[in-house]
C-alpha cells in the first residue's frame, strides 16, 4: 500500500475526509498521525449571539445547569402565554387582565422568549455552528469521529421533547466529548448520569416501590434506563443478564435524577426516591449505600468481559467492516480488559491492526459523515439551519435516532435509492457553489489522491459541466465509501 | 450541388474584410443581446445537416426523426426546430456552420473556458468576454455597465462573469440535480461498484432517481428548464427599463449515446426557447440578437452506441429581429476523409470570435480594437464578420 493510499484511508476510514490542505496531516506514519490527533482534541467555543444574550446565557454553549434554568423559565413563559391567549379568547372581563403585565405596558417580569422556537433555536444553532467549525478545522477528524461514534452509542433523541432537545448538545459536550479518549468507566458514568439521558430513558421519573417518596404507592419503577444500559450501553443484548437483573438494576438507580436548581452539574440523587435495601445483579450483591450503589454496578458493568466484547465489536464494525473480523474484535476486547477500559489503548490496537488498513473500503459514509466530508472537500461553509435540514433530508437528523440503539452503522441501511437520490441532489447543489473556481479534474486528483480509479478519473474528465464533474467526484465510490 | 467556392459567394463574403462595415448601430436604437451557451458540445451536423454534401449520407445515419427541414438546398434543419425554420424563412435567423473557437482539444471544461472566457487558451475562468464587452461599451449607454445585465440560472455562466454589474435570476425548478448525472454515475458504478450500481439502477427504474432519459417530462427537465429560463429572461428584458444583455447556459448536449432521441428533445427545448424570446420580448424582438453557441462539435461519424464523441467544428445560431437572416453562413470544408479534422471531425473554418465581433460592433456599437484586445485577448488577427445585423 502506497503512503498516499494509507494517508487517504486515514482520512476516509478514520477521519472526516480530506480538505484542500491535502494528505499532509496524515503523511509520514498515518497511524501516528491519527493517534497524535487524540492527544490534542479540539475545544468547542463560540461567541455569544444577541439572541443568547437576551435569553440570559453566560456563554454561547451554556452548561447543563444553566440550560435547565432556561428550560424552566421557558416553560413558565409558555404557560403564561397560553393562559393569556385563553383569556383573550373568553368573553372580555370587566377588568383588564393582570396576567399580562407586559402586554398592558406595565412593569413586570419580561417574558424570556419571543416565540416558541427562540430558545431551542438559539441553543441548537450555537451547538451546530460550534461543531461545524471544529469539523472544518480538524486535521484528520479521528477525534470527532469518535465523538460521533460514542454519541450514537449512548444515543439520546431530541424527539423526547423540549428538555432533551435543548440538552442534547450539552450532553455530547459534557458527557461524551471529554471522555472519548479516557476510560470507558468514566464515559459510562457521565452518560448515564447526565440529565439528558435521565430524561430520555425516563429514569428521572422512576421511584423505588418502597421508597419514602412513594408512601401512597401511586408511583413506581421505570426499567427503561436500566434495560438499555445492560442491552445497549454495556453487556449487549446477549450479555448474560436476566429480566430480574434489569428490574433489580432499575431499583438500584432509583433516585437518580435531575437538579433543576441551577447548581452543581445537573445531576441530583434523591434519597427519598431511592429503593432501600441491597440488590443482587449478575450474581453479585450490592449493599444499599445510596447513590454509590448504582455507581458500583456501573463500574462492574464497565469492566465486564461481555462489555469489552460488545464495545470491541461495535468499534470494529464502525471503522473497519460491516462483518467485523473476529480476530480483530478479540484483540480489541482483550486490550479493553487488560487496560481496564482505557479507550485510547483500544483505539491504538485498532489503528495498529493490519485489517484496519487492508479491509476492502466497503463501508458507506453515513449521511452525517458524507455531508461533513463533502463540505470539507469543497471547502464551502454551511449555515447551521441548512446543515440540520440536509441531515434530516438524508435520513440522519442530528441527535435524533429512531431509538436508543442509535442510527445503524451498516452500509445496506444507507444504500437505498432514496438515499442515493438525495446524495445526488446534495452533491450537485454543493458543487454548483464552488464550480466557478474549481476544476473537477484537479479536484478529483487532489481529493481522491491515493484512491482514485482510472474509471473515475475518466468519468470526471468527460463530464459535461463543472458542477457535474465535481458532483461525480463526490458521488464516486472512492468518496462515498470508506 | 453547391461547391465550396460558390457557397462562399452565397454566404457572406467572409474574406471581403476590406469592405467598410455597414453598421446597423445608430443613436436612438435600444438593442438587446442574448447569449445562450449549450454546454456539452452540440452536434452541428445533426442540428443543421449538410444534406447536399455528397459525402454526408454515407458518413452517419440521420440523427433525426422524419424529414429534415430544407433551408437552402445544401443545408437542412433538424425537424425538432420548426420555430427556427420559421424565423429563418422570415429572415430573422441565420446559421453559422463549420464554426468553432480556437480550442482544438476535446475537454468540455477547457473548451468552455475558451468559448466563454474569450481567451484563446483554457485556464482563464475569472471573467467572460460578454462581461468585458459590456464594460467596453459607452458608460452612459443603456447597454453598458450602467445598466445591470442579466445572468440566468443558479450558476452565473463564465461568459458573463466579471466586474460589470449583474442581475441574477433563476427559475425555481433548477434545484434538482442535473438529470444527466445519474446515467453517468451508473456507468461509473457499473465499472467499479456493482452494489451501488444496483441501488442506483433500482432508483432509476422506480422513477425515484432522474434517469436522464425523459428530459421532456415535467417542468424540471432540460427542455422545460430551457423554456422557463427563456421566458423569465424575456419577461425581464422586455421591460423598458429591463436588462439589455443576458447570458444563460443550457446543459445536456453531450450526446455520446442514443443521440437522436436526446437531440430531438434538446433541440426542441432550444427551439421553444427562441420562440419564448420572440414572444416575451414583443416589440423589442425587432431589435434583438440571440447568439447560441457551444464549446465544440462532435465526431463526423457515429460511434458504436448511436451517438457521437467530442469533435471540433459545429454550428452557431443567430436569431432575432435584428439579424440579417435567411442564410447559412459557412466556408464549407467538406466531409471527405482528408477534409475532416484529424480524420474524424468537421474542420473549423469560421472563427466564432469573428461572429461575436461582428454582432458586437454592428449591433452594440463596440469598438473593434477593444474587441480584438480586451474582449478577446490576442485576437488582433480576427476580423469581425460583416453584415450579420
Amino acid at each position: 500500500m502506497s503512503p498516499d493510499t494509507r494517508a487517504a484511508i486515514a482520512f476516509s476510514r478514520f477521519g472526516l475526509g480530506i480538505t484542500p490542505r491535502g494528505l499532509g496531516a496524515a503523511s509520514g506514519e498515518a497511524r501516528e498521525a491519527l493517534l497524535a490527533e487524540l492527544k490534542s482534541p479540539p475545544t468547542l467555543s463560540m461567541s455569544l449571539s444577541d439572541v443568547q444574550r437576551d435569553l440570559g446565557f453566560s456563554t454561547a454553549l451554556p452548561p447543563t445547569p444553566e440550560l435547565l434554568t432556561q428550560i424552566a423559565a421557558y416553560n413558565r413563559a409558555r404557560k403564561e402565554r397560553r393562559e393569556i391567549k385563553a383569556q383573550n379568547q373568553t368573553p372580555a372581563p370587566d377588568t383588564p387582565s393582570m396576567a399580562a403585565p407586559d402586554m398592558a405596558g406595565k412593569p413586570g417580569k419580561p417574558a424570556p422568549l419571543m416565540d416558541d422556537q427562540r430558545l431551542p433555536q438559539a441553543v441548537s444553532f450555537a451547538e451546530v455552528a460550534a461543531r461545524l467549525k471544529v469539523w472544518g478545522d480538524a486535521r484528520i477528524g479521528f477525534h470527532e469521529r469518535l465523538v460521533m461514534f460514542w454519541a450514537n452509542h449512548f444515543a439520546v433523541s431530541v424527539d423526547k421533547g423540549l428538555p432533551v432537545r435543548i440538552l442534547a448538545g450539552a450532553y455530547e459536550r459534557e458527557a461524551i466529548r471529554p471522555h472519548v479518549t479516557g476510560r470507558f468507566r468514566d464515559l459510562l458514568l457521565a452518560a448515564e448520569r447526565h440529565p439528558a439521558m435521565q430524561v430520555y430513558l425516563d429514569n428521572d421519573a422512576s421511584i423505588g416501590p418502597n421508597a419514602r417518596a412513594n408512601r401512597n404507592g401511586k408511583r413506581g419503577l421505570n426499567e427503561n434506563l436500566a434495560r438499555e444500559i445492560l442491552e445497549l450501553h454495556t453487556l449487549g443484548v446477549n450479555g448474560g443478564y436476566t429480566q430480574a437483573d434489569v428490574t433489580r438494576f432499575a431499583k438500584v438507580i432509583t433516585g437518580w435524577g435531575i437538579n433543576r436548581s441551577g447548581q452543581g452539574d445537573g445531576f441530583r440523587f434523591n434519597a427519598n426516591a431511592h429503593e432501600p435495601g441491597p440488590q443482587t445483579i449478575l450474581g453479585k450483591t450490592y449493599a444499599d449505600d445510596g447513590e454509590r450503589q448504582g455507581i458500583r454496578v456501573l463500574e462492574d458493568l464497565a469492566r465486564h468481559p461481555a462489555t469489552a466484547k460488545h464495545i470491541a465489536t461495535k468499534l470494529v464494525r464502525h471503522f473497519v467492516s460491516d462483518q467485523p473480523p473476529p480476530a480483530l474484535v478479540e484483540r480489541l476486547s482483550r486490550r479493553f480488559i487488560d487496560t481496564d477500559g482505557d479507550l485510547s489503548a483500544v483505539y491504538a490496537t485498532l489503528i495498529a491492526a493490519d485489517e484496519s488498513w487492508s479491509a476492502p473500503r466497503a463501508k458507506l459514509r453515513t449521511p452525517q459523515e458524507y455531508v461533513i466530508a463533502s463540505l470539507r472537500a469543497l471547502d464551502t461553509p454551511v449555515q447551521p439551519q441548512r446543515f440540520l435540514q440536509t441531515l434530516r433530508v438524508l435520513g440522519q437528523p442530528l441527535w435524533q435516532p429512531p431509538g436508543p440503539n442509535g442510527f445503524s452503522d451498516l452500509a445496506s441501511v444507507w444504500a437505498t435509492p432514496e438515499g442515493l437520490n438525495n446524495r445526488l441532489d446534495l452533491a450537485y447543489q454543493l458543487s454548483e457553489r464552488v464550480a466557478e473556481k474549481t476544476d473537477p479534474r484537479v479536484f478529483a486528483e487532489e481529493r481522491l489522491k491515493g484512491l482514485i480509479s482510472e474509471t473515475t478519473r475518466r468519468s470526471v474528465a468527460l463530464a459535461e459541466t463543472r458542477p457535474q464533474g465535481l458532483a461525480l467526484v463526490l458521488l464516486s465510490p472512492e468518496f462515498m465509501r470508506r | 450541388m453547391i461547391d465550396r467556392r460558390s457557397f462562399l459567394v452565397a454566404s457572406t463574403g467572409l474574406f471581403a474584410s476590406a469592405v467598410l462595415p455597414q453598421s446597423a448601430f445608430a443613436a436612438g436604437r435600444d438593442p438587446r443581446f442574448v447569449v445562450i451557451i449549450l454546454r456539452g458540445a452540440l452536434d452541428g451536423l445533426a442540428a443543421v445537416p449538410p444534406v447536399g454534401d455528397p459525402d454526408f449520407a454515407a458518413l452517419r445515419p440521420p440523427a433525426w426523426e422524419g424529414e429534415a427541414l430544407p433551408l437552402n438546398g445544401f443545408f437542412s434543419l433538424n425537424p425538432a426546430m420548426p420555430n427556427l425554420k420559421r424565423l429563418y424563412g422570415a429572415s430573422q435567423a441565420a446559421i453559422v456552420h463549420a464554426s468553432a473557437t480556437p480550442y482544438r482539444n476535446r475537454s468540455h471544461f477547457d473548451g468552455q473556458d475558451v468559448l466563454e472566457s474569450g481567451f484563446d487558451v483554457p485556464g482563464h475562468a475569472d471573467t467572460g468576454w460578454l462581461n468585458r464587452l459590456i464594460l467596453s461599451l459607452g458608460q452612459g449607454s443603456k447597454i453598458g455597465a450602467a445598466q445591470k445585465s442579466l445572468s440566468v440560472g443558479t450558476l452565473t455562466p463564465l461568459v458573463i462573469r466579471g466586474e460589470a454589474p449583474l442581475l441574477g435570476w433563476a427559475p425555481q425548478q433548477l434545484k434538482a440535480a442535473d438529470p444527466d448525472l445519474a446515467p453517468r454515475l451508473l456507468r461509473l458504478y457499473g465499472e467499479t461498484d456493482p452494489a451501488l450500481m444496483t441501488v442506483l439502477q433500482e432508483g432509476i427504474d422506480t422513477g425515484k432517481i432522474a434517469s436522464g432519459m425523459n428530459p421532456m417530462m415535467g417542468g424540471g427537465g432540460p427542455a422545460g428548464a430551457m423554456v422557463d429560463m427563456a421566458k423569465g429572461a424575456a419577461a425581464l428584458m422586455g421591460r423598458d427599463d429591463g436588462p439589455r444583455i443576458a447570458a444563460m447556459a443550457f446543459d445536456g448536449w453531450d450526446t455520446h449515446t442514443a443521440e437522436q432521441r436526446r437531440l430531438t428533445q434538446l433541440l426542441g427545448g432550444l427551439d421553444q426557447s427562441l420562440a419564448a424570446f420572440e414572444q416575451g420580448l414583443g416589440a423589442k424582438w425587432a431589435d434583438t440578437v440571440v447568439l447560441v453557441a457551444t464549446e465544440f462539435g462532435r465526431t463526423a461519424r457515429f460511434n458504436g452506441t448511436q451517438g457521437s464523441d467530442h469533435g471540433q467544428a459545429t454550428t452557431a445560431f443567430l436569431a432575432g429581429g435584428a439579424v440579417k437572416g435567411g442564410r447559412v453562413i459557412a466556408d464549407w470544408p467538406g466531409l471527405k476523409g482528408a477534409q475532416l479534422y484529424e480524420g474524424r471531425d468537421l474542420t473549423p473554418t469560421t472563427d466564432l470570435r469573428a461572429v461575436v465581433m461582428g454582432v458586437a460592433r454592428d449591433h452594440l456599437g463596440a469598438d473593434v480594437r477593444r474587441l480584438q484586445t480586451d474582449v478577446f485577448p490576442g485576437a488582433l488577427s480576427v476580423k469581425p464578420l460583416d453584415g450579420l445585423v
Side-chain angles (χ1 to χ4, degrees), chain A residues 149-376:
Chain A
F149 171 83
W150 286 113
N152 196 52
H153 178 81
F154 291 108
V156 299
S157 173
V158 298
D159 256 352
K160 187 71 179 181
L162 190 75
V164 181
R165 190 164 167 216
I166 288 173
L167 292 175
Y171 166 74
E172 187 252 63
R173 278 188 280 124
E174 297 165 354
I176 306 293
R177 196 168 274 277
H179 301 295
V180 300
T181 56
R183 303 176 79 80
F184 181 72
R185 170 209 178 271
D186 298 329
L187 176 60
L188 178 67
L189 257 66
E192 309 305 357
R193 289 158 64 87
H194 195 278
M197 183 64 82
Q198 288 290 322
V199 174
Y200 176 54
L201 293 178
D202 306 303
N203 198 65
D204 61 324
S206 180
I207 292 180
N210 303 302
R212 286 190 292 276
N214 200 27
R215 285 214 187 89
N216 60 13
K218 282 186 179 165
R219 293 160 70 195
L221 201 61
N222 188 312
E223 294 180 354
N224 201 3
L225 179 60
R227 175 182 306 283
E228 303 305 13
I229 289 174
L230 294 168
E231 177 186 329
L232 301 174
H233 300 167
T234 60
L235 306 177
V237 66
N238 297 314
Y241 58 91
T242 64
Q243 174 55 42
D245 288 323
V246 172
T247 306
R248 290 191 290 252
F249 184 27
K251 288 177 180 168
V252 165
I253 55 175
T254 47
W256 287 30
I258 298 169
N259 179 354
R260 293 186 170 83
S261 71
Q263 308 298 310
D265 63 359
F267 177 82
R268 178 174 89 124
F269 178 71
N270 177 6
N272 287 332
H274 183 67
E275 175 71 8
Q279 302 291 344
T280 301
I281 294 163
L282 298 170
K284 179 174 170 182
T285 301
Y286 297 84
D288 179 16
D289 45 2
E291 181 185 352
R292 283 286 308 161
Q293 190 183 24
I295 292 175
R296 287 188 295 118
V297 175
L298 286 175
E299 285 173 339
D300 286 344
L301 289 172
R303 57 169 63 101
H304 196 287
T307 299
K309 178 96 186 292
H310 183 209
I311 299 301
T313 306
K314 279 191 78 171
L315 277 168
V316 174
R317 186 190 296 131
H318 177 76
F319 284 104
V320 181
S321 171
D322 284 356
Q323 291 85 36
L328 184 56
V329 171
E330 177 54 30
R331 260 177 288 159
L332 261 61
S333 181
R334 176 58 44 202
R335 189 79 178 139
F336 187 99
I337 292 166
D338 290 348
T339 61
D340 196 16
D342 178 345
L343 293 173
S344 284
V346 176
Y347 307 148
T349 304
L350 174 73
I351 297 299
D354 287 340
E355 295 98 315
S356 299
W357 303 87
S358 62
R361 302 178 65 255
K363 298 281 296 184
L364 201 67
R365 277 182 160 141
T366 64
Q368 187 178 3
E369 292 163 13
Y370 184 72
V371 175
I372 296 169
S374 299
L375 294 170
R376 276 167 67 92

Side-chain angles (χ1 to χ4, degrees), chain B residues 38-356:
Chain B
L38 308 182
R39 285 197 216 281
L42 166 69
D43 185 346
L45 290 173
V48 185
V51 292
D53 187 305
D55 297 304
F56 180 66
L59 205 54
R60 49 152 75 185
W64 57 86
E65 286 172 43
E67 292 292 307
L69 311 171
L71 293 176
N72 62 5
F74 188 85
F75 292 106
S76 289
L77 187 63
N78 191 298
M81 304 195 79
N83 285 307
L84 189 68
K85 161 74 175 161
R86 177 178 53 77
L87 291 170
Y88 182 96
S91 292
Q92 293 190 358
I95 288 153
V96 188
H97 217 318
S99 57
T101 72
Y103 179 68
R104 287 294 166 275
N105 281 302
R106 300 168 197 277
S107 153
H108 291 302
F109 307 136
D110 291 343
Q112 287 164 21
D113 274 3
V114 171
L115 168 67
E116 299 185 58
S117 71
F119 285 76
D120 52 10
V121 290
H124 296 271
D126 295 334
T127 66
W129 60 257
L130 183 57
N131 194 286
R132 294 194 304 275
L133 169 59
I134 295 164
L135 290 174
S136 82
L137 299 172
Q139 282 301 304
S141 130
K142 285 176 183 168
I143 49 174
Q147 174 91 12
K148 277 188 181 172
S149 297
L150 181 63
S151 162
V152 184
T154 49
L155 198 62
T156 304
L158 170 59
V159 71
I160 200 168
R161 234 180 282 154
E163 285 175 32
L166 300 179
L167 178 71
W169 176 83
Q172 279 303 311
Q173 58 266 52
L174 285 178
K175 278 181 181 167
D178 169 2
D180 196 31
L181 193 52
R184 282 171 190 265
L185 203 53
L186 200 58
R187 286 196 287 279
L188 171 57
Y189 289 170
E191 290 186 43
T192 55
D193 200 323
L196 281 179
M197 186 191 70
T198 304
V199 176
L200 183 58
Q201 185 66 60
E202 186 190 335
I204 291 172
D205 291 346
T206 56
K208 288 168 184 157
I209 296 174
S211 69
M213 292 302 165
N214 291 309
M216 291 298 276
M217 298 295 285
M226 278 186 245
V227 176
D228 287 345
M229 287 165 84
K231 277 186 184 164
L236 289 167
M237 296 182 84
R239 295 159 51 143
D240 287 336
D241 60 348
R244 267 59 175 182
I245 293 178
M248 66 197 70
F250 294 164
D251 299 345
W253 302 82
D254 195 15
T255 47
H256 288 280
T257 55
E259 176 168 319
Q260 176 183 308
R261 178 177 50 185
R262 212 168 158 74
L263 266 191
T264 296
Q265 294 164 342
L266 288 163
L267 288 172
L270 175 63
D271 193 58
Q272 292 167 45
S273 303
L274 295 174
F277 269 111
E278 182 189 14
Q279 195 168 8
L281 286 171
K284 297 181 171 66
W285 177 251
D287 222 359
T288 294
V289 173
V290 181
L291 167 68
V292 183
T294 189
E295 66 260 28
F296 45 71
R298 312 194 69 84
T299 48
R301 296 177 193 87
F302 265 16
N303 61 22
T305 55
Q306 282 71 56
S308 54
D309 297 315
H310 300 180
Q312 300 302 329
T314 182
T315 57
F317 302 103
L318 290 170
V323 174
K324 279 191 182 153
R327 305 173 297 155
V328 179
I329 300 159
D331 179 2
W332 191 245
L335 292 172
K336 293 190 193 306
Q339 293 169 323
L340 295 176
Y341 183 86
E342 293 185 348
R344 53 184 271 154
D345 313 319
L346 182 62
T347 298
T349 52
T350 297
D351 192 323
L352 193 63
R353 293 173 297 180
V355 179
V356 175

Side-chain angles (χ1 to χ4, degrees), chain A residues 421 441 464 466 468 475 481, chain B residues 110 112 189 193 252 254:
Chain A
N421 188 34
R441 293 162 296 185
E464 183 179 88
R466 280 188 171 75
Q468 192 184 72
L475 295 163
R481 295 194 180 276
Chain B
D110 291 343
Q112 287 164 21
Y189 289 170
D193 200 323
D254 195 15

